[in-house]
Amino acid sequence: MKSTELPCSLPLTRHRFSSQHPLRFKHLALAAGIAASLGNTTAVAQTQMRGSAATLMEEVIVTARKRDENSQDVPILVSAYNSDQLDALKVRNMESLSVGLPNVSLDDAGTAKGYANFSIRGLGINSSILSIDPTVGIFVDGVYMGVSSGMVFDVFDLESVEVLRGPQGTLFGRNVTGGAILMNTKKPGDEFAGSIKAAVDGGGPGGLNKYLMGTVGGPITDAVGAKFTMYFNDDDGWFENQLDGEDFGAAEQEMIRGVVTWQAADSTDVIFRWEHAKNDSDGPAGQNHRNGDGVEAATNAIPGVTSSWDRDSHDFSIDERGFYNTKTDFMTLEINHDVAFGDGTITNITGWRTYEAQSLGDIDSQPFWIFHSSSWTEQDQVSNELRYTGRFAEKANLTTGIFYFNSDLDYHERRLFGPNVFTAAPISFDGGGIYGVETWAIFSSLDYDVTESLILNLGLRYSYEEKEARIATLPANSPLFGDPTCNIVAPSPSDATSCQFDFEDSEDWSNWSPKIGMTYLLSDDARLFAHWTRSFRSGGYNLRNTALPTDTIPAPYDSEDPADIPGPFDEETVDNFELGIKSEFGRSRLNAAVFYNQIKDMQRELNFPGALGTNQLIRNTADAQIFGIEIDGAIAVTDSLLLTASIGWLDAEYQDVKADLNGDGNIDSEDEYLDLPRAPELTYSVGVNHDLSLGSVGYIASRISYAFRDESAYTDNNKGFITEQKMLNAGVDFHTNDESWVVGIYGNNLLDDVKHGGDTQLPASIGGTFAPLAKGRVIGLEVTYKF
């Protein structure tokens, strides 16, 4: 196969974030050449591989099309990992996967620990507002997660993780315009087995991070199996608060999970899962960048204490430790029944989840009290999917079904300013809302073999969604204006009255999500695919209504009502056109795709300084287009040496801007020239895995990888941005030959690169920006015993 070449005429320096590095094109061409050449070698001898290199080249069974398939057979780009591969790569959470995946950013927002701000192919969010639906949907054991909070915590005992790129609206519904993340937990096996894993790591100025986890399971009777999993994490905190010298970032996480399987009949099996998780952690490690320039302030608010920090440091100084405490219960009931009709299977998955959270954070990120914020959240959801999958006449694979989802969300936020000079007490503002979502859908997908080599891929989904909102505007509930404090979720005895809901409304949306595509089999190990698909992101309401009537609100704008309008904002539409190839040659693998996304009524949170610290307006801001390339390759050079590489490139630009994005009072070419948030132009990675045999003793598996992600805009006005990421990870593991013992050391982010979850703009009176920090360099030891 000829090596893949990228066109030199692509406009690599159109925007601000693409012109910072003169060697950008060299990086792009080099990484693309490496990735393509890895899939270009066919002369590798067919010998038996073993160890981690072999593990990482194993085929992975995925459920991307609601049926079990080899990941290389699915006509979309999928990054998939089975349980052994997750162990080999020492994956602890979803965020640790993201840097090495082309055009993928699986970031923690940092504002509230575990809040998923995921972005794929330039389609992402930059918000912790719970009523903003994601662009990347998360599905756990086939159940859609209705809120993004609590999704980036550590994971353990997973059967597989699948990262599906591109709109997945036909089979997975709304809110998957960027893609979908599928997480599948393990079931009990046919034999009694278990494992215990312990780890400790550190590397920052703070304390140690300790892990203990274990699982055991197997058959109880001929028809019943059970599995029990426990996970515990005690983190002293990686950071050090410069104000008091104390460790910061402490977290204590607990998770228990039970799984019971029942072979009710030869044709029927039942799977019941229950999971309880709890997290108690510090609030965000907020860093202040005065005026957003990333330069240390010349003057200090407190003598000897710096209140603004360089973006390239992990230093910060805040007076409020804060907290983020969550509790989650999650249950699923899955029934699979085989039927003669089409030699098919009827599957029903019922899911129920309840989520509770309380938080307090230092938003001004200063060593004295200016702006702190607390919140309370309760969310309950229930869903059910009934589907059929079968094959007819050895030519047609059919998947069809119905889906129901209901979510009730109560959210309250309190903003605390002060303390004021008259009463030595803070000035508080209370708001939030009650939010109800109900969704119905019917879907069908057909893969028809036109010839032995040509497959027609068709899909269609009809969705109906209704949302209801009762919202209390923050400025309307404050003792400053004579109203007592209130709380929508957890009222205290001191609350004289309940919050005043000044906005109530409901709206519904319905649409069709089609897909038309074709797959051409070049050989048993190579296939071309092409498709057009359409997907939608839900419309809705803003539960964080912040603007005062005197604030300047970007257009479009109702001049007769100068207050912020919390909705409804309309749904976002994405049309995706894609051409790709998936191939295996000898012991090499090469997957690549070129895609074009056309976004209509792009749904964004406009973030700008305001009287209450920051205003966050949700608007349909623009139409836009994103062109991109992805290449992912791997080759087993020998039985013990594996090379991997990937490259992703994006060119994202506005076509028709409908809002004043830069805040200059005009909607013009200056707005169109801005960069789309969360769309880094270049991502790439290279990695090496090697196994060294120690004979009868065992073997040593070593790995090293480097990943790069470009600088990108965070806010729509581009004043907030995320710096480029350079991640170097490495590890060495000793395995006994029977794999009963694994002892390893690992290092993540060995370059101690600084990463921020966001870069929210604050008024000059507060100081600059709120930029929550992620951990820097981590070095650890891990021991695993399997029985």
Side-chain angles (χ1 to χ4, degrees):
M1 178 182 175
K2 295 182 179 180
S3 61
T4 303
E5 297 181 354
L6 302 180
C8 297
S9 60
L10 295 176
L12 295 176
T13 58
R14 179 181 185 273
H15 300 312
R16 166 192 170 188
F17 297 110
S18 62
S19 59
Q20 302 297 312
H21 305 281
L23 298 180
R24 181 79 40 172
F25 185 77
K26 292 182 179 180
H27 288 179
L28 178 66
L30 176 61
I34 292 174
S37 65
L38 291 186
N40 220 12
T41 304
T42 60
V44 181
Q46 293 292 317
T47 57
Q48 182 65 37
M49 296 176 64
R50 65 186 294 273
S52 63
T55 297
L56 294 172
M57 284 297 287
E58 289 176 353
E59 68 177 39
V60 181
I61 302 302
V62 300
T63 56
R65 293 196 290 181
K66 305 277 188 179
R67 61 178 188 260
D68 292 343
E69 300 175 280
N70 184 333
S71 62
Q72 286 296 106
D73 294 336
V74 180
I76 58 174
L77 285 195
V78 181
S79 296
Y81 305 87
N82 61 31
S83 59
D84 292 335
Q85 292 168 341
L86 293 171
D87 285 342
L89 295 172
K90 294 295 183 287
V91 174
R92 286 268 169 73
N93 55 45
M94 292 304 300
E95 190 176 14
S96 63
L97 275 178
S98 67
V99 181
L101 301 181
N103 294 330
V104 174
S105 302
L106 306 181
D107 292 340
D108 188 326
T111 308
K113 184 177 176 62
Y115 197 98
N117 262 3
F118 292 172
S119 175
I120 297 181
R121 293 181 170 179
L123 294 171
I125 62 173
N126 62 339
S127 177
S128 59
I129 300 177
L130 290 166
S131 57
I132 295 183
D133 289 298
T135 59
V136 179
I138 302 174
F139 298 79
V140 179
D141 293 320
V143 176
Y144 174 69
M145 299 291 101
V147 295
S148 297
S149 190
M151 290 291 104
V152 197
F153 292 141
D154 293 351
V155 298
F156 173 62
D157 203 37
L158 291 183
E159 183 63 39
S160 65
V161 172
E162 306 169 35
V163 180
L164 315 183
R165 292 178 179 81
Q168 299 293 327
T170 299
L171 287 176
F172 292 94
R174 304 167 70 86
N175 308 325
V176 289
T177 51
I181 309 292
L182 312 185
M183 304 168 64
N184 303 299
T185 59
K186 280 187 177 180
K187 297 179 290 186
D190 296 331
E191 298 180 358
F192 180 80
S195 68
I196 299 174
K197 182 182 295 185
V200 59
D201 60 40
L208 296 177
N209 186 15
K210 291 85 66 180
Y211 299 88
L212 180 63
M213 55 203 89
T215 182
V216 62
I220 297 177
T221 69
D222 291 342
V224 177
K227 186 178 182 67
F228 184 71
T229 300
M230 295 187 66
Y231 173 93
F232 178 74
N233 173 217
D234 182 16
D235 190 349
D236 295 332
W238 187 91
F239 302 95
E240 179 183 295
N241 188 350
Q242 299 297 308
L243 178 64
D244 53 21
E246 296 290 329
D247 295 348
F248 193 92
E252 187 173 291
Q253 301 177 45
E254 304 171 4
M255 184 274 289
I256 56 175
R257 180 192 302 132
V259 183
V260 177
T261 59
W262 175 36
Q263 191 71 41
D266 290 342
S267 60
T268 305
D269 66 82
V270 180
I271 307 167
F272 174 78
R273 299 177 175 92
W274 169 76
E275 179 179 299
H276 173 78
K278 183 181 178 182
N279 169 78
D280 296 322
S281 64
D282 285 346
Q287 194 177 63
N288 188 292
H289 306 138
R290 187 170 297 279
N291 300 323
D293 56 10
V295 178
E296 189 172 323
T299 59
N300 299 329
I302 296 178
V305 179
T306 302
S307 59
S308 183
W309 303 94
D310 194 302
R311 289 181 186 269
D312 292 330
S313 80
H314 288 100
D315 297 328
F316 66 97
S317 177
I318 61 176
D319 66 307
E320 174 58 67
R321 177 175 290 270
F323 59 84
Y324 184 61
N325 302 333
T326 68
K327 184 174 68 174
T328 305
D329 286 286
F330 178 42
M331 290 191 297
T332 65
L333 178 63
E334 179 179 343
I335 302 173
N336 297 288
H337 179 66
D338 296 334
V339 294
F341 179 68
D343 192 22
T345 301
I346 297 174
T347 299
N348 191 88
I349 301 177
T350 302
W352 172 83
R353 183 177 189 256
T354 179
Y355 171 80
E356 299 177 11
Q358 295 184 32
S359 71
L360 173 64
D362 191 326
I363 308 303
D364 60 74
S365 302
Q366 302 273 5
F368 49 91
W369 189 348
I370 301 179
F371 173 23
H372 298 169
S373 179
S374 58
S375 69
W376 294 258
T377 303
E378 290 183 359
Q379 187 251 355
D380 293 280
Q381 68 170 67
V382 62
S383 63
N384 193 85
E385 180 172 288
L386 174 64
R387 68 173 184 264
Y388 165 83
T389 300
R391 183 169 175 82
F392 298 88
E394 297 299 321
K395 280 184 171 292
N397 284 303
L398 174 67
T399 298
T400 187
I402 56 175
F403 172 78
Y404 173 77
F405 174 83
N406 183 278
S407 172
D408 293 311
L409 170 66
D410 294 350
Y411 173 76
H412 185 88
E413 178 176 334
R414 178 169 293 161
R415 297 194 174 186
L416 301 165
F417 296 89
N420 69 71
V421 296
F422 301 105
T423 64
I427 301 172
S428 63
F429 295 86
D430 287 278
I434 298 174
Y435 204 51
V437 180
E438 187 172 35
T439 301
W440 291 88
I442 182 169
F443 60 89
S444 187
S445 176
L446 176 68
D447 299 304
Y448 183 79
D449 299 347
V450 180
T451 68
E452 291 184 356
S453 301
L454 184 62
I455 304 171
L456 183 64
N457 310 121
L458 302 174
L460 187 64
R461 186 185 190 100
Y462 173 78
S463 296
Y464 172 83
E465 184 168 70
E466 183 175 0
K467 293 187 174 182
E468 298 179 349
R470 300 176 63 203
I471 297 173
T473 301
L474 277 155
N477 297 277
S478 173
L480 186 66
F481 303 119
D483 295 324
T485 60
C486 64
N487 196 313
I488 295 169
V489 178
S492 68
S494 61
D495 294 333
T497 62
S498 61
C499 293
Q500 302 300 310
F501 293 104
D502 49 82
F503 179 90
E504 296 187 26
D505 194 31
S506 65
E507 185 61 90
D508 60 81
W509 296 265
S510 61
N511 53 63
W512 296 89
S513 299
K515 179 176 182 177
I516 301 174
M518 303 187 77
T519 304
Y520 184 76
L521 306 181
L522 299 171
S523 67
D524 290 340
D525 298 317
R527 63 191 62 218
L528 290 169
F529 63 89
H531 63 247
W532 161 73
T533 185
R534 174 173 291 176
S535 188
F536 294 86
R537 183 176 170 210
S538 297
Y541 298 87
N542 182 4
L543 291 185
R544 193 176 292 168
N545 197 22
T546 56
L548 289 168
T550 56
D551 285 333
T552 300
I553 308 298
Y557 180 76
D558 184 356
S559 60
E560 296 180 359
D561 182 6
D564 176 19
I565 301 171
F569 47 86
D570 207 357
E571 59 190 6
E572 173 184 291
T573 306
V574 176
D575 283 288
N576 167 252
F577 303 86
E578 188 163 346
L579 173 66
I581 183 172
K582 305 182 82 169
S583 59
E584 293 177 291
F585 300 93
R587 291 189 308 193
S588 63
R589 180 175 63 235
L590 176 67
N591 298 330
V594 178
F595 61 89
Y596 172 75
N597 287 336
Q598 191 168 33
I599 306 103
K600 183 179 180 182
D601 295 327
M602 176 173 278
Q603 190 186 114
R604 296 291 307 162
E605 176 196 309
L606 296 178
N607 181 305
F608 59 96
L612 294 188
T614 178
N615 282 345
Q616 295 155 290
L617 308 179
I618 308 175
R619 296 286 190 264
N620 296 101
T621 61
D623 297 339
Q625 62 180 8
I626 301 176
F627 174 74
I629 299 171
E630 291 165 354
I631 305 174
D632 191 353
I635 178 173
V637 179
T638 68
D639 286 349
S640 58
L641 180 62
L642 175 69
L643 305 180
T644 60
S646 68
I647 177 80
W649 178 80
L650 294 176
D651 180 52
E653 59 183 48
Y654 292 110
Q655 291 181 302
D656 180 19
V657 176
K658 307 172 184 178
D660 178 15
L661 300 181
N662 61 8
D664 65 357
N666 301 305
I667 302 175
D668 52 26
S669 60
E670 294 299 318
D671 298 295
E672 292 184 358
Y673 192 73
L674 293 168
D675 288 87
L676 272 67
R678 305 296 308 282
E681 181 185 51
L682 178 63
T683 55
Y684 66 82
S685 68
V686 292
V688 180
N689 290 77
H690 182 261
D691 299 317
L692 176 64
S693 175
L694 301 178
S696 60
V697 177
Y699 68 95
I700 293 177
S702 56
R703 65 191 179 279
I704 185 169
S705 64
Y706 175 80
F708 174 86
R709 188 172 77 196
D710 232 332
E711 182 176 296
S712 62
Y714 179 74
T715 58
D716 291 71
N717 61 12
N718 288 188
K719 292 182 180 179
F721 63 95
I722 303 297
T723 58
E724 65 181 23
Q725 304 296 301
K726 300 174 182 177
M727 290 293 166
L728 178 65
N729 299 333
V732 178
D733 300 320
F734 166 74
H735 297 248
T736 58
N737 280 325
D738 61 1
E739 296 290 350
S740 59
W741 285 95
V742 181
V743 181
I745 57 174
Y746 57 89
N748 297 327
N749 191 9
L750 291 173
L751 300 178
D752 204 26
D753 206 47
V754 179
K755 178 181 178 183
H756 298 94
D759 195 34
T760 301
Q761 304 298 292
L762 300 175
S765 58
I766 291 179
T769 69
F770 168 57
L773 285 160
K775 289 183 178 182
R777 181 188 297 114
V778 171
I779 299 174
L781 170 68
E782 181 180 276
V783 179
T784 303
Y785 173 65
K786 298 180 181 180
F787 57 89

